Amino acid sequence: MKVEAGDFVMFNYVGRFENGEIFDTSYGDVARENGIYVEDREYEPLEVNVGAGEIIPGLDEALVGMEVGEKKTVTVPPEKAYGMPNPELVVDVPLSQFSDAGVEPVEGMYVMTDSGIAKITSVEGDNVKLDFNHPLAGKVLIFEVEVTDVRRGRDGEGE
C-alpha cells in the first residue's frame, strides 16, 4: 500500500547535515553513538498525518508513494525545511533586561522569552543580540527514512 496524502504514517529517521553530522534521529542507539541522546525523550517511530503540515514540507512530500518497509534518503533544501534565516528575527535587547531577570547572558546560550526561544549570538557592552530564527534555518538537511506502518486516513485500514 503506497502512502497517500491524508494517511497516517509511522517512520524511523536519521537527520544529517551535508557534512554527515547527525542532528536528530528516532533511534536511541544512533543518538547515543552521536552524542545527541536526550534522557527524557522516547526514541520510537514518528507518526504523522501526511499532507497535514505536521512535519517539514520536504519530508512530508517524500513520504508520499513510499510503502511499509521501504527506505529512502531524501535531501531537503532550506526552502522545504526551515527556510532561510530572516535578518528581521535578529534583535538587540538591553543587557538590563537580563540583569533584571537575574540571568547572566552567555553567547551561544538559548533563552525563553515572551516572543519564543532565541539564541544569544553576542553580548557586547549594554546590548545582547538575540536570534529568533530556527536553529536549522538555511541548512540543507538529509534524512534517511524507513516507513514502519501506514493507516489510511479515511477508513483507518492499514497493513
Side-chain angles (χ1 to χ4, degrees):
M1 176 170 76
K2 290 189 182 298
V3 173
E4 299 173 7
D7 290 348
F8 293 89
V9 176
M10 293 186 76
F11 66 97
N12 279 305
Y13 66 93
V14 175
R16 300 179 193 278
F17 295 122
E18 289 180 292
N19 67 3
E21 177 189 350
I22 294 175
F23 65 87
D24 193 15
T25 182
S26 61
Y27 299 107
D29 57 340
V30 173
R32 276 192 179 90
E33 290 166 11
N34 288 277
I36 60 170
Y37 187 81
V38 177
E39 200 64 46
D40 296 336
R41 176 178 169 183
E42 289 187 29
Y43 288 89
E44 57 189 20
L46 183 64
E47 182 174 17
V48 298
N49 183 342
V50 174
E54 295 177 356
I55 55 176
I56 59 172
L59 196 50
D60 209 10
E61 294 165 7
L63 290 171
V64 174
M66 290 184 71
E67 298 182 35
V68 172
E70 184 177 348
K71 295 180 182 181
K72 182 192 277 189
T73 299
V74 184
T75 300
V76 182
E79 302 77 32
K80 297 247 179 187
Y82 295 95
M84 296 303 289
N86 180 347
E88 293 178 14
L89 295 178
V90 179
V91 297
D92 286 323
V93 174
L95 179 62
S96 61
Q97 287 189 8
F98 286 87
S99 304
D100 293 347
V103 175
E104 176 71 29
V106 176
E107 188 173 320
M109 179 173 137
Y110 283 88
V111 292
M112 180 55 99
T113 73
D114 292 341
S115 301
I117 296 175
K119 181 178 184 178
I120 298 174
T121 57
S122 69
V123 181
E124 297 176 7
D126 292 334
N127 276 328
V128 177
K129 193 174 292 291
L130 297 180
D131 185 348
F132 286 91
N133 284 289
H134 190 284
L136 299 179
K139 300 205 184 290
V140 172
L141 307 178
I142 300 165
F143 289 94
E144 296 168 24
V145 297
E146 179 180 7
V147 173
T148 60
D149 190 34
V150 179
R151 288 184 296 115
R152 283 285 174 243
R154 295 177 233 8
D155 57 20
E157 299 281 323
E159 288 188 0

